[in-house]
Amino acid sequence: MTLDTFFASHPKAALAFSGGCDSAYLMYAAKQAGCCLQAYFVKSVFQPEFELEDARRLAQQLQVPLKVLSADVLAVPEVAANPANRCYYCKRTIFEQILAQAAADGYTTLLDGTNASDETADRPGMRALAELQVHSPLRECGITKAQVRAYSKQAGLFTHDKPAYACLATRIPCGVPLDADTLYRVEEAENRLFALGYRDLRVRVRGEMALLQLPAEQFAQAAAEAAVIRAQLSPYFSQIALDFSPRS
């Protein structure tokens, strides 16, 4: 099955839009196929502000209507407790909210950007999508992450080389309760590093310490700028360390 075939069978749909590479290309493909598409971005303490900015930018570029919904995910006890299957409860909360709004807007089919490269075995959030009957056209059509990036580049989408960016909750070890202040400190620390020119990074929380995960090619820069990094991140973390197991 191709995406054109999929959209021929689903000419009207709602899209759970993250602003990331996968859902961005899916938005483009739907638009190209003539699908009547309504996009929804759910803002919570788990999403940094730049993701919303990217979502708005792309929706405007492709002329797809976008609604921004707000979700208090920390009000869900199973999410705030941060168990190993936190993503299941979070996805249920967010996608149920999108489904309700989409139904009120006249849309009965909901899409998400899961692609054929995404592993399902260790992703409890995928179970929530299956239970809620959310379609993943990229996955259903066998389109891999590499293909998404290649097709996005051909289409001129600025998201074609956007690094994957897991939600901020993933920076905190499972079993450590989540709170808005810690998530805010992670977001601000990562923003400071982005401003210094670092990319594809993570700031992991280890007590009062920020453990920086960077691609190997950025290690030398981080070592040379250690004092600058400490100064930038000290408002948020009392200790800062570099993880020498590089992000791949």
Side-chain angles (χ1 to χ4, degrees), residues 66-77:
L66 173 67
K67 282 192 176 183
V68 180
L69 311 177
S70 296
D72 185 3
V73 289
L74 293 182
V76 181

Side-chain angles (χ1 to χ4, degrees), residues 63-113:
Q63 297 184 310
V64 173
L66 173 67
K67 282 192 176 183
V68 180
L69 311 177
S70 296
D72 185 3
V73 289
L74 293 182
V76 181
E78 295 88 352
V79 174
N82 197 21
N85 62 343
R86 175 201 68 246
C87 192
Y88 168 78
Y89 297 103
C90 186
K91 288 280 191 184
R92 284 281 317 196
T93 299
I94 288 173
F95 276 79
E96 284 174 350
Q97 184 169 344
I98 296 175
L99 281 165
Q101 184 61 59
D105 294 339
Y107 295 84
T108 57
T109 299
L110 179 58
L111 317 177
D112 95 306

Side-chain angles (χ1 to χ4, degrees), residues 216-236:
E217 61 270 19
Q218 296 179 20
F219 284 175
Q221 179 185 353
E225 297 179 344
V228 175
I229 292 174
R230 280 198 301 271
Q232 289 292 309
L233 272 58
S234 61
Y236 311 107

Side-chain angles (χ1 to χ4, degrees), residues 90-174:
C90 186
K91 288 280 191 184
R92 284 281 317 196
T93 299
I94 288 173
F95 276 79
E96 284 174 350
Q97 184 169 344
I98 296 175
L99 281 165
Q101 184 61 59
D105 294 339
Y107 295 84
T108 57
T109 299
L110 179 58
L111 317 177
D112 95 306
T114 303
N115 66 63
S117 300
D118 289 326
E119 297 291 338
T120 60
D122 60 346
R123 297 183 64 181
M126 301 285 276
R127 178 163 64 93
L129 299 184
E131 291 173 356
L132 296 172
Q133 298 182 319
V134 176
H135 281 280
S136 301
L138 299 175
R139 186 174 185 83
E140 292 173 33
C141 294
I143 299 174
T144 66
K145 186 72 168 188
Q147 289 175 307
V148 168
R149 292 198 182 279
Y151 298 159
S152 296
K153 187 173 183 178
Q154 292 171 9
L157 303 180
F158 71 87
T159 51
H160 74 89
D161 62 348
K162 182 176 179 178
Y165 193 87
C167 86
L168 294 170
T170 62
R171 313 301 195 267
I172 300 165
C174 290

